Amino acid sequence: LHKEYRRQRQMCIRDSDSGALKALAHPLRVRIFDLLSAHGPQTASSLASMLGETSGSTSYHLRTLSAHDLIHEVEGRGTARERWWELPEGRIDIPGPSQSMSPANRAAAQIVSSEFFRLRHETLMSYVNRPDTEVPEGWKDAGLIATTLLEMTPSQMEDLKDELMGVIEGAVGRYRGQTGPDVRRVSMRTELFDLPATGPVLAGAADSNEEES
């Protein structure tokens, strides 16, 4: 899993950092983490309002995330009674489940990845099903959802991955932190993976294996 954030410093949660991974392995903490990513700094009260929880509950989960450096307080903002929280700078790499992990770490990684992808799909479907009356002017045809199936070798797939990451990093460099009356937060997602082998690919199949909306 890769979560790309607004600034430059990189932080990694590796399998060896089992405490951080286990701290995140709670559906509500993943949701809090995701909201901080999507909406920027928040307080326990604002998160409670978004999540339908009590501020006491969100405050507890925020402290747990902070104890493992997954989030931190916003410097120079807030009071002793109302603290603001944000994600660390740069990119956070969160490992998916792996057979090389201990059973406990693998179970934690499964919880985190399942909840991240559930929220990701929920956000996508909200976009797909959004009524035209709720789409701001100029944004109706600006987005893209596309699926393409290709026949590739592992090395070709690695090359394509590098190309796609180059496009993403270029966009991040150009647009990160941009402000203005027409600026909105945009979700940019990339998936590239091999499919299970199911038999020979029929000739000409690639010509009909692209979907876009």
Side-chain angles (χ1 to χ4, degrees), residues 60-133:
Y60 166 77
H61 290 297
L62 285 165
R63 291 196 302 272
T64 301
L65 293 171
S66 176
H68 293 276
D69 295 323
L70 292 166
I71 63 173
H72 57 225
E73 279 193 72
V74 180
E75 293 184 10
R77 187 173 182 181
T79 64
R81 293 179 58 85
E82 190 77 301
R83 302 160 76 182
W84 286 82
W85 301 90
E86 66 179 354
L87 297 176
E89 299 174 343
R91 190 176 76 191
I92 297 180
D93 293 337
I94 302 172
S98 169
Q99 292 301 314
S100 65
M101 292 178 168
S102 68
N105 283 2
R106 187 162 60 249
Q110 287 171 339
I111 292 172
V112 173
S113 60
S114 294
E115 187 64 11
F116 265 130
F117 283 111
R118 186 191 69 78
L119 293 171
R120 178 171 173 160
H121 181 70
E122 186 179 276
T123 303
L124 175 62
M125 294 312 298
S126 294
Y127 167 77
V128 170
N129 295 322
R130 183 172 58 179
D132 287 348
T133 55

